[in-house]
Amino acid sequence: RGVASGARRLASLAAARRQGRMANENGTYILTEEEKDILVEREAFDQGTKVAQIFSGIFFSGVAAWLTVSNGTKLAFVQRAALEKRLTVCCFLNTYVAFFSAFFNFFQLTAVDDAVLPTAGNFTLDLARPIEWVMTCPLMQLSLVLMGGAKLPEYRRYLMPSFSATILFLGTVGAFFGGDLVAIKIVAFTIAQLLFFAMVYFNRMQVMEYSSGEEGLLQGDSEFRKATLLLIATWSPFPIWYILSPEGLGLIDNVLIVQLGWAFLNIVAKFSFIFYIQRIKDMYCNRLKTKRELMPGKSGFGSSAQGRHGATSPPGDVEFAGSIAPGYISAQELEQQEAEKKKSQLSAVVVETMTFLGMAQHTDRFLKLLERANMNSIYEVEVLTKETSASLQLPWELVSALQRRLRVWKLEMVDDAEVGLDKGEEY
């Protein structure tokens, strides 16, 4: 196979036809010394072209990676940023995943990356495929770590991508062992499978850390948990198909079926993850817009300087003068603003819950019932029971749905930095 072997075959046939020579008893043609020199030069030219293209591609890829790292925000800062910023970076990473996947899939159309495996059927592996996975799968794991934010340890930014890269490397190495070396292939696959289980374990741990122990792989409603489950579910069939394919034990030797299987798994895994992360970002931005529209405005610089040292009250000379200094608000106004803020948060969650239930037209009615029951904050709704709701004439079905949505809201709509600012203002 390859450009050089094809050129050699065509050249020998053409030379034989020109000179009218016949094939010998082995079906091969005898070349002259001049023809051999021409073919050697052509093969050297083809090999040199390949080497030049490969080195150029490697160096330009390195420059692109360096520019991305140098001009982008440091991942350590991104992991501590607000969720809106983190989701934006995750979508940028998914853009790179789509770009690399498209490039290496087109590259597989060439014969440059062809490698014949030492199997019974001499299966030809496109090396661009495992290279594509090594370049993209670690970015998908990195997206989950960044999405988890500051609640996840910083070393996960390196550990989780390393898991996926090592697993893929072991699978590629194992594919080149066959015949009498099947035991080495099985050992490489076993180690890779153990690393996959370890990666899933850390994915589960991240879900628990993100939710402060309230969620796991089998329970919870947060988008982070669903994205993690989606990644695990779409990656799980790959080891099975690897064993069935000629790269593994060769139980399926039909080239068309093998290639279609890899393409189907690759498309499903990446398309589902990319579109789901984009959906999370779009939904979060819409919810953030609703929250900001319902939140009362700040009252200026003076309100941000409130504290226990008298920022909510004017200096002594102005206070004795019987007037309020500009830029200061009274303690009563501060309490009123805080009450309005809590009520607006509750209203935002109610709007989202009723829309999710398909009952947006009854949102005002439910809000009036909550107001009549003196439920003015999300903290008061969280402690409601079925008996208490019945005594307050509140529909328990809606209250329970609201409480369930509140748990997701606290995970996804409240950032640690925002909580710290609120506590500082209260102090």
Side-chain angles (χ1 to χ4, degrees), residues 352-364:
E352 181 180 334
T353 304
M354 299 299 285
T355 303
F356 181 78
L357 295 175
M359 302 175 62
Q361 67 274 17
H362 300 298
T363 302
D364 292 336

Side-chain angles (χ1 to χ4, degrees), residues 284-315:
Y284 176 79
C285 291
N286 292 333
R287 290 153 65 182
L288 195 62
K289 180 180 178 181
T290 303
K291 177 182 176 181
R292 288 169 177 171
E293 289 176 351
L294 294 176
M295 288 287 288
K298 295 291 183 182
S299 57
F301 177 80
S303 62
S304 64
Q306 298 148 7
R308 62 184 294 181
H309 299 293
T312 57
S313 59

